[in-house]
């Protein structure tokens, strides 16, 4: 990865982090995402809205994908997300042929990004301290909601 790539990915991640922070301020789970076009333009951005909308299907990646609207092709696009994508969102990436996933962090949740990489999707894991902090703080304060979000019963 070149310095130019690193700067570009960090810039895109800031968009996803803004979405995550907005979601947190709304009382939701702080996961944000953006779908970036081949030319680097933001096609769509979104945040996990499971709590706000009462809809378990509205993850950050699905919200960004929906906001992007219909595209002729997703080849060459990049999904940027603050957290390793769950299996549901990893499936979306594969189903529509999104070429790259840029991930803020995978310490608090290790989703399907290894599977994506094994199946030809370029995966870039940034291990961003702000993303780690957002999720670590949220999980500590909201263990029941977090376990619900990832489909685990947990001890909380």
């Amino acid at each position: 990865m070149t310095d130019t790539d690193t700067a570009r990915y960090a810039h895109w991640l800031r968009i996803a982090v803004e979405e995550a922070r907005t979601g947190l301020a709304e009382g939701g789970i702080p996961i944000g995402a953006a779908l970036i076009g081949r030319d680097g333009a933001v096609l769509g951005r979104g945040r996990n809205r499971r709590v706000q909308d009462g809809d378990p299907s509205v993850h950050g990646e699905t919200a960004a994908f929906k906001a992007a609207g219909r595209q002729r092709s997703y080849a060459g696009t990049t999904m940027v997300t603050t957290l390793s994508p769950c299996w549901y969102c990893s499936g979306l990436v594969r189903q529509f042929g999104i070429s790259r996933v840029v991930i803020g962090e995978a310490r608090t949740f290790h989703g399907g990004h290894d599977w994506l990489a094994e199946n030809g999707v370029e995966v870039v894991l940034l291990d961003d301290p702000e993303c780690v902090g957002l999720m670590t703080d949220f999980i500590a304060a909201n263990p029941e909601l977090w376990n619900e979000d990832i489909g685990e019963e947990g001890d909380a």
Side-chain angles (χ1 to χ4, degrees), residues 58-142:
V58 187
H59 292 204
E61 298 89 342
T62 61
F65 183 76
K66 184 175 181 180
R70 185 175 165 201
Q71 304 293 313
R72 181 179 171 103
S73 170
Y74 296 90
T77 63
T78 300
M79 180 64 75
V80 182
T81 179
T82 57
L83 184 65
S84 178
C86 69
W87 287 106
Y88 170 54
C89 295
S90 294
L92 179 140
V93 168
R94 286 284 317 279
Q95 174 70 31
F96 291 95
I98 295 170
S99 299
R100 178 187 306 121
V101 177
V102 174
I103 302 166
E105 70 102 352
R107 290 188 205 180
T108 59
F109 180 76
H110 192 105
H113 68 266
D114 292 335
W115 175 74
L116 288 171
E118 291 165 5
N119 286 281
V121 177
E122 179 185 353
V123 173
V124 178
L125 180 55
L126 298 178
D127 197 29
D128 180 78
E130 184 176 8
C131 291
V132 173
L134 264 172
M135 289 311 302
T136 301
D137 292 348
F138 178 81
I139 293 166
N142 303 278

Side-chain angles (χ1 to χ4, degrees), residues 15-30 45 47-49 52 134:
I15 296 164
V17 168
E18 286 175 17
E19 288 293 326
R21 289 200 175 282
T22 298
L24 182 62
E26 295 170 342
I29 299 163
R45 52 192 291 164
R47 59 192 167 276
N48 184 305
R49 294 192 52 87
Q52 300 92 311
L134 264 172

